[in-house]
Amino acid sequence: MLKKVHPFNWIVAIILLVAVGIWLYMSFGYIYEEHVTEATLEEKSHDDDGYYVTIDGEEIVVEDESLWMVLEEDEDYEVTYEWYGQKQPYMVDINQAHDDDSVGGGH
């Protein structure tokens, strides 16, 4: 004998699938970006896995060693970094705070 399936069960199943889909997208498919002006570089560090800076309490990966070398502790920077899922944030762009070199661009 077949059991009757209630519409309530289908509705709960659909809501659950949508919620899981949204969670998966936000955790692994969506890239978060943070732009910080006048962020103080608190600490520089490195290990076998890479180069890191700590800015406003957030440890950020610096993928370019030469860029990491020119950054100075206790200096203010304008920083953009990204992350997705459970990955550690990585630096996308950095410039000295109040540096207007890129604005206008004339010699």
Side-chain angles (χ1 to χ4, degrees):
M1 185 181 271
L2 295 173
K3 289 186 174 184
K4 185 175 179 184
V5 178
H6 293 284
F8 178 75
N9 293 343
W10 284 104
I11 293 171
V12 169
I14 289 171
I15 290 172
L16 185 62
L17 285 173
V18 168
V20 168
I22 290 171
W23 178 81
L24 285 171
Y25 174 73
M26 295 303 284
S27 294
F28 300 103
Y30 186 78
I31 297 176
Y32 298 90
E33 181 177 280
E34 183 78 26
H35 180 80
V36 183
T37 57
E38 295 189 37
T40 302
L41 193 150
E42 298 165 358
E43 181 183 5
K44 292 171 51 174
S45 61
H46 67 88
D47 58 23
D48 293 337
D49 295 329
Y51 297 89
Y52 308 95
V53 294
T54 303
I55 295 177
D56 292 343
E58 184 78 42
E59 186 175 67
I60 302 170
V61 175
V62 180
E63 295 173 341
D64 184 5
E65 176 186 357
S66 60
L67 174 62
W68 180 83
M69 292 177 74
V70 298
L71 296 176
E72 297 181 19
E73 292 182 358
D74 298 322
E75 290 289 326
D76 290 336
Y77 294 97
E78 186 173 334
V79 180
T80 303
Y81 58 94
E82 296 178 344
W83 73 95
Y84 63 94
Q86 302 301 316
K87 298 288 185 178
Q88 189 167 15
Y90 58 93
M91 189 173 299
V92 175
D93 187 36
I94 188 165
N95 200 6
Q96 290 178 327
H98 308 292
D99 186 9
D100 296 329
D101 286 349
S102 61
V103 180
H107 289 289

